[in-house]
Amino acid sequence: MTKNTNASPYMLTTPIYYVNAKPHLGHAYTTIMGDFLKKLALIEGKRVLFVTGTDEHGEKIVQKATAEGKTPKELVDEVSSEFRSAWEKLALDVDVFYRTTQPDHYKMVQNALQFLKDKGDIYFAEYEGKYCVGCERFRTDSEWNEEGLCPDHQTPPDLRKEPNYFFKMGSYQKELIKHYESNLEAIEPSQYRQEVLSFLKQPLEDLNISRPKTRLTWGIELPFDKDYVTYVWFDALLNYLGAIGYEGGDFAAQREFKNEFWAESHHLIGKDILKTHAIYWPTMLMGLEVPVFKKLHVGGFWMNKGLKMSKSLGNVVDPIKVSEHFGVDFFRYFLLREMSFGSDANFTWEAFIARCNSELANGLGNLASRVLKLSQKNFEMKIPSASGLNDQDKALVSAMKALPAKMAQEFEQCRYHIGIGHFNEAVAECDRYINDNKPWVLAKDPEQKDRLASVLRTAMEALHVFSIVSYPLTPEASLKLQEALGQSGEIVGALFRVDTGLDATRSLTEVPQLFPRLELPDLE
Ligand code: MSP
């Protein structure tokens, strides 16, 4: 978060991760996407609150702990800290790491439940349904595949019949449909909004929000019945409000700053948890009399050999090993560039190496090294001043200044990979400019010194723009490049410096290697 309290607030959340598995590429992607969006908002000058954490109750956790001969508490403490340290190792800039076993969370969830009970939104009844422990939810009859298995976990349903407490989710159906019909950008990409609206054409059932302690004790006890614990999704979704200090109960009466971030709340999720976020969560908010979140950003899956990468299917890529081997910039670049947000993508080493080499090493890496070395050699460590710019120089500078808006236009539509493509095209345009103007030839002729200065200064202005717009994408290289250009490296509001251009009173520093060429890893 920045100290500038006038800057507009922006709240970004990832799902809180189940601690029955170590962080894998699917989790890393979601958190990296969050960090990318945070950094984008920072360079725009916003005040950002980035929230992630761990989801620590429920049956899966107990199953996993039992299998490992641990208590649930031992397991959750251990795995939660692995998530926390994974995000540190990936240099992700998290503001709040939220755990659903933290004591203030228990109190908040109980207050929220009591609030709903007092207003008559919770009742007790017998229930029969088909449960998926992997999803930790009852799936309706149409939500099992042709073989009768959960499509996400490939497991059969667990038939359950028991009395439980229910939240009157169905009573909010009309209000929910109205909300999505009048907020066209509430769920993106838009195909997921359509999916939710078509699901809402069926009558919406009430939500089973408890588990009897005879089945499960690892959870938050209901404040009005000590024989029951809270259903894990009901407890988990409330993390988003807990992270801004909500205490349960009357939201409007609680301190102002919460509403400020909440009004700009963006939830990043995977498509497997669309229903819980697009249906359960807003109806819970309506019941609690809290405004609905601003937007759901719904991502697709990373696949491996045609199946969703997941711990239970045993086909995961370890994000820490990849980034320790190659560095965090390459890893995040590939994930953000390869996936068309909302659709599935495949992770293969061949694609990873090919993209990193052709787009980063041969792209910005090579360009920066050529331009900076020539500048250092011919103008000592000074930024050359351009005595006169010709039309080609001017065209390049104005194309580069227009780049952030061109990228932003795609980013606003969740087309991140295309926005990044514009960045690569701009680097290529600058490369062509260098090839046309041949500064290495100009450098041999003392009479061309002024022209050489103009060409290199023009290219350095372009590098300056790249150093700023690449911050969300490849932050380490971005900062290295800003330093090489002798620029401040101040991040908040950095996009404003695109218009002002280079501060030519500064001197260059050593030329860094931004992106070394990569080799295929030894897959053993
Ligand atoms: N605990 C719930 C979320 C509760 S939020 C109130 C949960 N946890 S999870 O650990 O199973 O998954 C968290 C996120 O990781 C989901 O958004 C899911 O889509 C994402 N991914 C898990 N595997 C994935 C891929 N293979 N690819 C991309 N993202 C996937 O669900």
Side-chain angles (χ1 to χ4, degrees), residues 145-442:
N145 69 15
E146 281 160 12
E147 289 96 55
L149 305 177
C150 164
D152 289 338
H153 296 93
Q154 305 298 318
T155 47
D158 187 11
L159 286 173
R160 296 188 175 180
K161 189 171 183 225
E162 63 197 17
N164 265 308
Y165 286 88
F166 286 80
F167 165 57
K168 289 186 183 166
M169 185 160 77
S171 70
Y172 294 101
Q173 179 164 12
K174 274 204 187 116
E175 198 179 332
L176 187 59
I177 294 173
K178 209 170 125 208
H179 176 78
Y180 288 134
E181 280 177 347
S182 50
N183 290 281
L184 302 185
E185 291 175 1
I187 305 179
E188 290 204 357
S190 61
Q191 78 252 29
Y192 292 110
R193 181 175 153 270
Q194 291 310 331
E195 194 178 313
V196 170
L197 279 170
S198 77
F199 181 84
L200 283 169
K201 290 197 173 117
Q202 315 295 324
L204 185 60
E205 286 180 6
D206 288 341
L207 182 65
N208 181 334
I209 54 151
S210 66
R211 295 293 176 265
K213 281 196 184 166
T214 48
R215 175 189 293 289
L216 177 74
T217 52
W218 181 242
I220 301 179
E221 192 175 282
L222 293 186
F224 39 81
D225 191 336
K226 62 176 177 32
D227 293 332
Y228 283 83
V229 294
T230 310
Y231 167 46
V232 62
W233 268 103
F234 190 93
D235 139 18
L237 286 160
L238 281 165
N239 93 86
Y240 300 132
L241 287 179
I244 47 168
Y246 176 56
E247 292 161 17
D250 188 350
F251 183 78
Q254 296 175 27
R255 278 174 303 162
E256 257 313 283
F257 80 95
K258 293 169 183 152
N259 297 323
E260 187 186 275
F261 274 115
W262 190 246
E264 282 301 322
S265 51
H266 295 253
H267 297 316
L268 267 171
I269 60 167
K271 64 181 180 179
D272 51 336
I273 53 176
L274 177 62
K275 186 174 176 187
T276 48
H277 281 79
I279 295 180
Y280 299 4
W281 182 222
T283 55
M284 285 167 63
L285 290 167
M286 287 168 183
L288 290 167
E289 296 163 23
V290 176
V292 173
F293 52 79
K294 174 98 180 255
K295 194 188 274 205
L296 288 181
H297 303 241
V298 189
F301 292 152
W302 283 97
M303 312 288 281
N304 192 339
K305 302 191 182 92
L307 286 174
K308 177 191 174 198
M309 222 180 252
S310 81
K311 177 77 180 182
S312 53
L313 302 175
N315 59 351
V316 293
V317 169
D318 181 341
I320 304 305
K321 281 198 186 139
V322 182
S323 50
E324 275 173 359
H325 192 83
F326 296 107
V328 296
D329 275 0
F330 283 118
F331 182 53
R332 68 189 270 150
Y333 177 82
F334 177 73
L335 298 184
L336 296 165
R337 170 75 169 131
E338 180 75 5
M339 184 174 255
S340 157
F341 188 76
S343 306
D344 295 346
N346 272 297
F347 186 95
T348 67
W349 289 112
E350 289 74 16
F352 174 79
I353 300 294
R355 263 206 200 284
C356 291
N357 283 343
S358 72
E359 296 177 2
L360 293 179
N362 298 348
L364 182 57
N366 186 40
L367 174 73
S369 149
R370 289 210 288 174
V371 172
L372 291 171
K373 279 185 185 150
L374 276 165
S375 303
Q376 283 196 345
K377 211 163 135 196
N378 293 285
F379 297 93
E380 293 158 352
M381 296 303 258
K382 301 270 180 312
I383 294 177
S385 41
S387 45
L389 296 184
N390 68 22
D391 287 348
Q392 195 194 10
D393 306 336
K394 286 183 194 153
L396 189 81
V397 173
S398 62
M400 296 305 125
K401 287 193 172 170
L403 177 63
K406 202 170 164 193
M407 292 171 75
Q409 215 175 7
E410 302 299 337
F411 293 163
E412 275 157 25
Q413 314 287 319
C414 295
R415 291 194 294 254
Y416 304 106
H417 65 301
I418 296 181
I420 298 166
H422 290 329
F423 172 77
N424 292 330
E425 286 150 21
V427 172
E429 192 177 338
C430 191
D431 246 338
R432 282 194 297 275
Y433 169 87
I434 292 290
N435 292 343
D436 281 355
N437 286 282
K438 301 189 176 43
W440 55 92
V441 175
L442 298 174

Side-chain angles (χ1 to χ4, degrees), residues 76-95:
V76 301
D77 285 348
E78 187 184 306
V79 184
S80 178
S81 64
E82 285 188 52
F83 273 92
R84 194 192 286 265
S85 88
W87 308 149
E88 276 164 20
K89 286 183 186 149
L90 292 174
L92 305 179
D93 188 10
V94 169
D95 296 300

